[in-house]
Amino acid sequence: MKLLAVCALIPILFLAFQDIGSEYDGMGWLTYGYVAWPIMVAPVLMLMLFFRNRALIRNPHLGANFSQTIKIVSVMYLFWNIVGAIGYSWLAGISVLSCLTILVADWQLKRQAGV
């Protein structure tokens, strides 16, 4: 859960720092890329974490919080990566696919486990 929290919160902190820094101090080096890349990398890291912890998804008594948290964060990053794929870089499409894979695989794993 700690690694999932890091994957979820670090891009949000980058976003907040970029917004505050560019608005109040006029820091020219805080570009949109400073925020876009962590948002595009986080779903790929979460996908690796998801497949590494598949047993938590299959056993709802052990991994209920993990399953719910990773789905919520995936939906959140799905939206921002679709925006990023349209407006910033086509590489965000990889992150969109990662988010969709997490959502579909979670559903499949629960269905196979009979939950």
Side-chain angles (χ1 to χ4, degrees), residues 31-61:
T31 63
Y32 289 112
Y34 181 79
V35 175
W37 283 102
I39 288 176
M40 289 190 301
V41 171
V44 177
L45 295 175
M46 287 189 317
L47 182 64
M48 291 188 302
L49 183 66
F50 177 81
F51 281 118
R52 193 170 152 222
N53 296 311
R54 288 187 306 266
L56 292 177
I57 306 294
R58 288 187 182 125
N59 188 352
H61 300 293

Side-chain angles (χ1 to χ4, degrees), residues 3 7 14 33 37 46 114:
L3 193 55
C7 289
F14 271 71
W37 283 102
M46 287 189 317

Side-chain angles (χ1 to χ4, degrees), residues 18-33:
Q18 192 272 340
D19 187 43
I20 292 169
S22 63
E23 185 175 326
Y24 292 112
D25 200 15
M27 294 180 188
W29 56 274
L30 290 175
T31 63
Y32 289 112

Side-chain angles (χ1 to χ4, degrees), residues 10-16 18 30-44 77 80-85 87-93 95:
I10 293 294
I12 294 170
L13 292 174
F14 271 71
L15 181 66
Q18 192 272 340
L30 290 175
T31 63
Y32 289 112
Y34 181 79
V35 175
W37 283 102
I39 288 176
M40 289 190 301
V41 171
V44 177
Y77 283 130
W80 287 111
N81 280 303
I82 289 172
V83 171
Y88 183 72
S89 174
W90 61 271
L91 288 173
S95 298

